[in-house]
Amino acid sequence: NNIYEGVVWFNKDRTDEFVGVLATDWAPNETGDAWTFNIRDGVTFHEGGTLEPHDIAYSVHRALLQDRIDGPHWMTLEAFFGLYTIEDLAIQNYCEAQGLEEDACGEVAFDQVDDAALVQTCEMVKESVVADNDAGTVTYNLNMATPWFLAMLANSFLGATVDQEWMVENGAWDDDCATWVQWHDPAAE
């Protein structure tokens, strides 16, 4: 929290009120399962890049796909997909494509998931957080209404925003759905 900024932050000592940081304002849809944020203009990253909505979307995509085992993303993945790990989502996609029954699917390990299901998993992650650079917005599409979504977004595990171009130039995930597994579950150190 001392290094990264996100779209919102807690309003002083309140945990149920939020103020915009990288977002100027936001609103949920009527059912509370989609939130759209208007992103602040004129924000510059330390290395000189300009903040754009795609940087925020990339930051979340990268975090969800990395999903370090024993990390905090079980909370966010549940809100986005109703599952606790990105591996569970990939296995579910594989099982559905293979026509496997639930009992048989329970025996499938992540390393058995084929490339098509892995790409589909990444595409689902990208559909869950959508940037519109022209409109200056980022929309989060959740699996269900999640009243605690803003509180999660205020924490660095979901809200930390990085400069996509700088990250890719420096060896981070290249935003290609065919390669995300190379960055999945990084070592704790």
Side-chain angles (χ1 to χ4, degrees):
N1 292 334
N2 293 324
I3 299 171
Y4 299 103
E5 288 187 323
V7 294
V8 297
W9 186 245
F10 299 101
N11 187 8
K12 297 184 180 182
D13 58 352
R14 299 293 306 257
T15 59
D16 60 344
E17 292 180 11
F18 302 88
V19 295
V21 179
L22 298 179
T24 57
D25 57 273
W26 56 90
N29 66 357
E30 288 183 16
T31 58
D33 63 355
W35 290 75
T36 301
F37 293 79
N38 290 304
I39 304 307
R40 188 176 305 284
D41 287 328
V43 177
T44 303
F45 288 101
H46 287 89
E47 292 295 324
T50 301
L51 172 70
E52 296 176 84
H54 75 262
D55 295 307
I56 294 168
Y58 168 82
S59 299
V60 177
H61 300 158
R62 179 176 170 265
L64 294 178
L65 292 168
Q66 277 188 335
D67 187 28
R68 195 176 76 71
I69 300 301
D70 299 327
H73 283 292
W74 64 269
M75 291 179 279
T76 55
L77 287 160
E78 180 186 25
F80 283 109
F81 303 106
L83 298 167
Y84 296 113
T85 72
I86 200 68
E87 292 183 5
D88 290 342
L89 182 60
I91 291 168
Q92 177 180 292
N93 289 335
Y94 174 78
C95 290
E96 288 175 4
Q98 300 298 316
L100 297 176
E101 297 292 328
E102 190 173 330
D103 290 345
C105 191
E107 301 298 318
V108 175
F110 180 65
D111 61 1
Q112 295 173 285
V113 175
D114 63 16
D115 290 342
L118 293 172
V119 168
Q120 178 187 7
T121 300
C122 175
E123 289 170 352
M124 291 175 72
V125 166
K126 286 187 174 189
E127 291 169 4
S128 71
V129 182
V130 179
D132 185 334
N133 287 332
D134 294 333
T137 62
V138 176
T139 301
Y140 297 79
N141 299 299
L142 305 173
N143 179 55
M144 60 186 172
T146 307
W148 54 92
F149 178 66
L150 289 176
M152 288 192 306
L153 202 55
N155 282 283
S156 61
F157 64 84
L158 183 60
T161 301
V162 296
D163 181 350
Q164 177 180 352
E165 291 78 12
W166 187 88
M167 294 294 290
V168 172
E169 286 173 13
N170 286 278
W173 175 53
D174 57 6
D175 198 39
D176 182 346
C177 282
T179 64
W180 72 267
V181 175
Q182 297 170 31
W183 285 270
H184 171 63
D185 190 24
E189 62 273 2

